Structures are given as C-alpha cells and as structure tokens.
C-alpha cells in the first residue's frame, strides 16, 4: 500500500517511478505507469517489457501519446484494450478499430467514449451485447433516429438508459409510458421532462415504486398528489407527505395517518409550509394553534402573522422551545413578555428581556443594571423587584454590597440564588452556606467560584458527583495547583480526551510527572499542549520531536530551543 501511494503521488521523482514500474506487485507497476510524470522514454521501455499490468497503467495515463495508444490498442490483454477504449484522448481512428473488438467490454467502453464517431455509435446500436447497446443509448451524441430505434430494444436496460438521459424529449418519454419493464416506467416517472399528463397516468401504475416516483416528482399536479395521498401503499403516502407541492389540507390529513413515519413526514412538511408562506392568514394560524402538537405550535409561534392572542396562549406552552420562540417574536404583546420574563428557563428570560415589547418599567430597571457604576442604594431597591430577571441581575452586579447578596442568597427562586453563587464578589462565608442548597447547580457554581475556601474545594474534589468534582478540581488547579495535584490522578484517570484535560495540559503549573505520563495521548491537541508546556520534562519533549503530527513536533522543537 505504501509503495502504491508513492507510485500514485504527483510529486514522486522520475528516478523512483523507474524503480516502481518494475515492482513485484502488479498493482504498483500499473499505478506507477499511470503517473503523469513518467517520461516518453520510460513509456517506450514499458512497451518493450510487454508487461500487461504496466501497459494497463500506460493506457490510463493522461499523457500517453497517440502513437503508444495505437500500440496498446492491439495488446493481447483485454483489460489493456479496455483502458485504451476508455481513454479520453484516444482518437477516432483507434476507436473505430476497437469497435470491432471480440471483447464486449472493449466495445462497451468504445460506445461510452465521447470521441466515438456517430456512425460507429449507429453500428454499435445493433451490437449483440445488451451492455454495448445500453452505452449507445446513454451516449450524448447518439442521434434521435438511433434512440427511436432503440426504444423497441428487447432488453429493458437499453430502454431504461434512454429514459434516464437528461435530454430525452417528452415525446420519447410518453412512448415509454406503457413499457413492460417496471424500472423503465419508474425512470420515466422520475424524469424532469415528463409531462404532467403522463405523470397523471403513471400515478395509477400497478408498481408501487413507479407511484412513489410520481409522488416525488416536482411537476406532479396537486390533483394527482391528492389522489396518491390515499394510496394503499404507505411509502407512496410518505413520499406525498414530503413533496413541497402537496396542499396544506392534504398534509394536515396525512398527519393523522396510521403510520408514524408518514405522520412525521407530513408534519415536518406542513410546519415548513407554514414558516415559508408569509401570506398565511391570521385565522388559519389561530386554527393551527389549536392542534395539540408542539412542532406546529413552534411554527405558529415563529410566524409574523400570528395574532397577539395566540402568542399570549403559546407563552404558557409546556415545551420550552415554543416559549423561547414566542419570547423572540417581535409581535408578542407586552403582557406575554411580562410573563416570559419570569420563566424558569434562563434562555427564555434573556430572550424576553431583549424583546422590543418589554414593559417600560422593566426596561428602566434593566438600564440601571447594565450600568457597572449603578449606586448601591439603587441596587438595594432593585433587589426587592417583583421580577426574577431583575433580582438575578442584581445578584450578578459587581457593585452589589454584601448585605444585599446575603439577602438574595435566601431568595425563593433558584435562579437568583444561583446568580449569588456565580458572583465573583460573593464572600467565602456566604458560599459556605449556599453549599447546603438543595439545588445541585448551586453547589457546582460554588465549586467554580474563586472565592470558595480551599478546604471546601478539597471536600468537593473528593465528591463522587462528576460535575461537582470537575468544577472544584479546575478551580483548585487554577488557584492552588499544589493542592490540586493529589486529585488530578483520580479526576483524569480516564485516558479519554476532554476539554478539561486539555486545559490542564496547557497550564504552565501542571506537574511535570503528570505531563510526562500523558505525552502519548491519542489526541494530537493534548500532545501539542504538553509539547508547548514550560513544565514538560526535556526527555518527554525529545520524544515529542518525533511525534507523527507536524504541529506537535514543531512545538516540542521550539520548546527545547527556548530552554537551550
């Protein structure tokens, strides 16, 4: 495989190619002879060797001259002659000779070659082999006269080749409408040039794959799609459900199909039709909102014509994705936005705050909270706000005094208490109390806070809860690396690459022994992090200068140079 790849490489020197054309492997010899870099003199030597494998490679080489192709066209090996028949620069004179070759595959490749003259294609259209005739039927230069003759060919593969041509006329496709072969009729049903009336007839075909092809066609009329929507074959109905031309009323009916995959396809197409049709009237959207399916609700919530009353109802939807889209809709009324500002999901609260219809009193409060210099007296007042989002922002504000943070640490809402735990100005003794909170997210936020006492971080690092353990080990490592060392081994005992491992390997405080132990990581990014770390032992860096990844090697060499 290595020698074959060298033989294939476009920058392999001619001296190496000379050796490879005499390789013991026929595959390597053929590949080397096909390399565009080989010289004319080497081509002549290959011919003199009478090695069929190398000759086959020559017949593939885009730079092989006509004189050599002419000699290869009479080679004893049929696969060499086949390659000549396929060659894009084989002249018509050689193709004329090969059109009479005893091997049917040679003649078949002649029939597919763009350089083959029309009169040869006519000759091959009467060939005894069906594959040859099929190639003629597919050839772009085959005349209409020959194609009309081949319409009556006894083999279906020939007739199918005509039906699959991109330039086949509507009249020829209509002639194939009642072909005895299912695959031919299916190809007609799939063709872009097939007239609507022909598709209408094929919609009643006995073969379900033909009907599926009609249901898929972009030019199938709505009348025909409506007919196929009641087809006994479920896969026909599924295809109707995916067609963008299927009327919304039919899609709505198919959302109640007995098969789930039909229902899902119809529902997806139906939702897309709602989203992309900007002219959907408000009354229709109101009716659609009453359908108990969250995907339809999502599409209605996203539509610019959805009435305010419908958006108000959707603001109470049990699925968070629907509420989020309502919160982002610029038509959502102020009353609904007020409700969404109190949502339990932070993404929804943030979207509601960004909505232009946010109530003015909340807007004023938000402006104060966006100012890093807001006075503590104003923050104390805002800490009593009825709005969760406001109290949450107060808890995160850099100027919020300790007394207010202490009060907010006892807030009835988890989001507010979480914000206190996330605030880098929250004192360690408050964080100690927040650890007792029933909500796990708060404990993890405390573990990530730089003010958390080291004793508490060490306690968390021994915890079996992975997210809690991870947050505390990262915090320890960034602030007290010597205290983190005992926990690194246990936390990173898995060799599986992770973002946390990468951050530790990048940190210049990472223990040397730990870096040395992991320099064979499967992830090149981790090896790169170790290679550029100033704490990595010199012996480890020397190993990394031989790494399989060039970026890792370069980082290790640069690190060694800096130390010398």
């Amino acid at each position: 495989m290595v020698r074959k790849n060298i033989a294939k490489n476009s920058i392999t020197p001619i001296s190496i190619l000379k050796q490879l054309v005499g390789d013991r492997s026929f595959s390597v010899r053929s590949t080397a002879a096909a390399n565009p870099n080989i010289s004319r003199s080497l081509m002549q030597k290959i011919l003199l060797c009478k090695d069929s494998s190398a000759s086959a490679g020559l017949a593939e080489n885009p730079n092989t001259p006509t004189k050599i192709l002419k000699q290869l066209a009479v080679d004893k090996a049929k696969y060499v002659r086949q390659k000549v028949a396929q060659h894009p620069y084989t002249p018509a004179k050689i193709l004329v000779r090969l059109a009479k070759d005893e091997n049917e595959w040679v003649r078949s490749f002649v029939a597919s070659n763009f350089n083959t003259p029309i009169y040869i294609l006519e000759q091959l259209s009467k060939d005894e082999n069906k594959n040859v005739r099929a190639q003629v039927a597919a050839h772009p230069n085959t005349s209409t006269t020959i194609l009309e003759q081949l319409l009556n060919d006894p083999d279906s593969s020939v007739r199918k080749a005509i039906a699959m041509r991109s330039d086949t006329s509507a009249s020829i496709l209509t002639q194939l409408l009642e072909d005895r072969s299912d695959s031919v009729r299916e190809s007609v049903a799939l063709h872009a040039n097939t007239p609507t009336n022909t598709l209408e007839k094929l919609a009643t075909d006995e073969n379900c794959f033909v009907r599926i092809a009609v249901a898929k066609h972009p030019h199938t009329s709505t009348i025909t799609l409506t007919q196929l929507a009641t087809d006994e074959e479920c896969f026909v109905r599924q295809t109707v459900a995916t067609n963008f031309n299927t009327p919304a009323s039919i899609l709505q009916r198919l959302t109640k199909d007995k098969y789930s995959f039909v229902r899902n396809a119809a529902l997806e197409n139906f939702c897309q039709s709602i989203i992309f049709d900007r002219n959907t009237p408000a009354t229709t959207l109101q009716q659609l909102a009453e359908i108990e399916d969250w995907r339809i609700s999502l599409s209605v919530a996203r539509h610019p014509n959805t009435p305010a009353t419908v958006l108000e109802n959707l603001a109470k939807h049990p699925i968070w994705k629907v509420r989020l889209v309502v919160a982002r809709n610029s038509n959502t009324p102020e009353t609904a936005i007020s409700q969404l500002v109190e949502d339990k999901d932070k993404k929804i609260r943030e979207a509601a705050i960004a909505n232009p219809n946010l109530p003015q009193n909340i807007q004023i409060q938000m402006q104060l909270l966006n100012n890093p210099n807001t006075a503590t007296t104003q923050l104390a007042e805002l800490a009593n706000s009825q709005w969760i989002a406001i109290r949450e922002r107060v808890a995160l504000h850099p100027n919020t005094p300790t007394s207010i943070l202490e009060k907010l640490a006892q807030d009835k809402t988890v989001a507010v208490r979480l914000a206190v735990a996330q605030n880098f100005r929250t004192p360690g003794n408050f964080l100690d109390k927040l650890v007792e909170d029933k909500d796990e997210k708060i404990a993890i936020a405390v573990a990530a806070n730089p003010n958390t006492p080291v004793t508490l971080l060490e306690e968390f690092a021994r915890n079996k809860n992975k997210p809690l353990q991870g947050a505390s080990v990262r915090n320890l490592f960034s602030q007290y690396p010597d205290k983190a060392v005992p926990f690194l081994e246990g936390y990173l005992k898995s060799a599986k690459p992770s973002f946390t491992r990468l951050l530790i390997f990048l940190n210049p405080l990472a223990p040397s022994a730990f870096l040395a132990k992991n320099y064979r990581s499967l992830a090149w990014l981790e090896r790169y992090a170790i290679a550029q770390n100033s704490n990595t032992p010199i012996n480890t860096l020397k190993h990394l200068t031989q790494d399989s990844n060039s970026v890792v090697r370069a980082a290790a060499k640069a690190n060694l140079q800096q130390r010398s």
Side-chain angles (χ1 to χ4, degrees):
M1 179 60 85
V2 174
R3 299 196 310 279
K4 187 175 179 180
N5 285 336
I6 294 170
K8 190 189 293 184
N9 199 309
S10 60
I11 61 169
T12 299
I14 188 70
S15 58
I16 303 294
L17 291 172
K18 280 181 182 178
Q19 296 175 43
L20 293 173
V21 293
D23 194 273
R24 64 180 181 275
S25 165
F26 71 88
S27 176
V28 173
R29 295 197 304 274
S30 179
T31 306
N35 194 306
N37 290 340
I38 67 167
S39 61
R40 295 284 178 91
S41 59
L42 184 54
M43 288 182 181
Q44 290 294 346
K45 286 179 183 178
I46 292 169
L47 276 179
L48 291 172
C49 291
K50 297 191 181 300
D51 172 23
S52 295
S53 297
S55 294
L58 270 186
E60 278 190 280
N61 196 313
N63 294 336
T64 300
T66 303
K67 185 179 177 181
I68 293 177
L69 287 172
K70 187 177 179 180
Q71 291 175 265
L72 292 170
V74 294
D75 196 280
K76 288 180 181 179
K78 61 185 178 184
Y79 57 85
V80 175
R81 303 197 304 277
Q82 286 170 14
K83 298 286 185 187
V84 176
Q86 278 182 287
H87 200 285
Y89 301 128
T90 300
K93 284 183 180 180
I94 297 174
L95 292 170
V96 169
R97 183 192 304 160
L98 290 171
K100 298 171 185 176
D101 197 280
E102 61 182 13
N103 182 266
E104 66 269 20
W105 287 107
V106 174
R107 301 196 304 277
S108 180
F109 287 127
V110 171
S112 66
N113 196 307
F114 284 177
N115 299 329
T116 301
I118 294 174
Y119 76 92
I120 295 298
L121 291 172
E122 187 174 359
Q123 174 189 314
L124 292 171
S125 70
K126 300 177 179 69
D127 196 279
E128 61 183 16
N129 185 273
K130 64 179 182 180
N131 293 322
V132 177
R133 301 196 304 276
Q135 289 296 338
V136 173
H139 201 288
N141 295 340
T142 301
S143 65
T144 306
T145 306
I146 296 172
L147 289 175
E148 286 178 348
Q149 289 170 6
L150 291 171
L151 279 175
N152 301 314
D153 194 279
D155 194 271
S156 62
S157 64
V158 178
R159 304 193 302 276
K160 184 177 179 178
I162 297 171
M164 291 179 71
R165 289 172 60 102
S166 61
D167 61 347
T168 301
S169 65
S171 60
I172 288 179
L173 290 166
T174 303
Q175 289 179 61
L176 292 169
L177 167 65
E178 296 179 2
D179 194 278
R180 59 185 176 276
S181 167
D182 294 341
S183 65
V184 173
R185 299 196 307 280
E186 183 184 2
S187 297
V188 172
L190 288 168
H191 203 287
N193 295 343
T194 301
T196 305
N197 59 339
T198 301
L199 291 169
E200 190 178 335
K201 291 173 185 174
L202 288 169
T204 58
D205 196 279
E206 61 183 14
N207 184 277
C208 72
F209 292 105
V210 176
R211 302 198 303 278
I212 287 171
V214 174
K216 190 185 292 182
H217 203 287
H219 298 154
T220 300
S221 67
T222 54
I223 294 171
T224 303
L225 288 168
T226 302
Q227 174 192 323
L228 290 170
T230 58
D231 196 280
E232 61 182 11
E233 175 54 58
C234 58
F235 293 110
V236 175
R237 301 197 302 276
Q238 181 195 26
T239 311
V240 171
T242 61
N243 194 312
F244 288 135
N245 294 331
T246 302
S249 57
I250 301 302
L251 290 173
Q252 209 166 340
R253 188 204 303 167
L254 287 170
T255 60
K256 297 170 185 173
D257 195 275
K258 64 179 179 178
Y259 291 103
S260 61
F261 61 89
V262 178
R263 295 196 300 271
N264 289 335
L267 198 56
E268 187 176 342
N269 197 356
F270 184 59
C271 292
Q272 290 296 318
S273 67
I274 295 169
I275 294 166
F276 291 112
D277 186 3
R278 296 297 179 190
N279 297 320
T280 303
T283 50
T284 302
L285 291 164
Q286 196 160 4
Q287 291 168 2
L288 292 172
E290 293 171 11
I291 299 172
E292 291 184 4
D293 189 286
W294 71 271
R295 287 165 292 188
I296 293 177
S297 298
L298 192 69
S299 300
V300 172
R302 190 175 278 128
H303 205 283
N305 296 345
T306 301
T309 51
V310 173
L311 290 168
E312 273 190 286
N313 289 331
L314 291 174
K316 303 167 190 171
H317 202 281
I319 302 296
W320 69 268
K321 289 181 180 179
V322 177
R323 301 197 306 277
L324 180 61
V325 171
V326 174
R328 289 172 176 168
N329 193 319
S330 59
N331 292 335
T332 300
E334 191 177 285
T335 49
I337 294 297
S338 299
Q339 178 185 322
L340 292 166
V341 166
E342 295 288 276
D343 199 278
K344 61 182 179 182
D345 193 299
K346 186 171 183 175
K347 291 190 291 293
I348 295 168
R349 295 197 299 273
E350 294 295 329
I353 287 167
N355 194 296
N357 295 329
L358 183 71
Q360 193 173 9
N361 60 330
I362 303 178
Q363 284 186 40
I364 293 167
Q365 292 178 43
M366 285 304 302
Q367 285 169 5
L368 287 170
L369 289 168
N370 289 333
N371 183 351
N373 300 317
T374 298
T376 55
T377 51
Q378 289 176 307
L379 290 168
E381 188 180 332
L382 292 169
N384 296 317
S385 174
Q386 70 179 92
W387 308 108
I388 294 171
I390 298 298
R391 300 199 304 278
E392 183 182 18
R393 295 291 180 100
V394 172
L396 288 168
H397 201 281
N399 285 354
T400 302
T402 305
S403 57
I404 296 174
L405 288 173
E406 186 176 11
K407 176 187 173 184
L408 292 172
Q410 297 167 22
D411 197 278
K412 62 180 179 179
T413 307
V414 173
V416 178
R417 301 198 303 275
L418 179 63
V420 174
Q422 290 171 334
N423 192 323
F424 287 174
R425 299 201 174 203
T426 301
N429 58 325
F430 285 8
L431 294 169
D432 240 335
K433 292 176 185 176
L434 282 167
V435 170
E436 298 168 11
D437 199 287
K438 292 178 183 178
D439 195 283
E440 185 185 288
K441 295 193 293 293
I442 292 174
I444 294 169
V446 170
N449 197 306
N451 293 338
T452 301
V454 65
T455 51
L456 188 56
L457 289 176
E458 287 176 316
E459 184 185 326
F460 284 154
R462 295 186 192 96
N463 199 291
K464 291 181 180 178
N465 181 305
K466 286 292 178 187
L468 184 62
Q469 185 191 65
S472 57
V473 170
R474 286 193 295 272
N475 198 350
L476 270 175
F477 190 71
S478 62
Q479 296 195 89
Y480 316 100
D482 54 323
K483 301 272 188 185
V485 172
F487 304 105
L488 288 177
E489 198 73 31
Y491 179 60
L492 298 178
K493 59 185 174 183
S494 169
K496 187 177 179 182
S498 68
F499 185 62
T500 301
R501 279 170 58 96
L502 181 64
L503 289 178
I504 291 173
F505 294 146
L506 283 167
N507 196 306
L509 299 173
S512 297
F514 187 70
L515 294 168
K517 185 179 177 180
N518 289 278
Y519 84 93
R520 289 183 178 176
S521 167
L522 293 174
W524 75 266
L525 270 174
E526 290 191 351
R527 300 198 306 277
Y528 165 75
I530 294 168
Q532 60 85 53
N533 196 307
S534 57
N535 238 4
T536 302
I538 288 175
N539 283 342
T540 303
L541 288 175
K542 286 178 180 177
H543 284 299
L544 289 169
T545 60
Q546 305 300 316
D547 195 271
S548 59
N549 186 285
S550 60
V551 177
V552 176
R553 293 197 302 272
K557 287 173 185 176
N559 199 342
L560 281 171
Q561 280 182 343
Q562 284 177 357
R563 298 192 194 184
S564 59

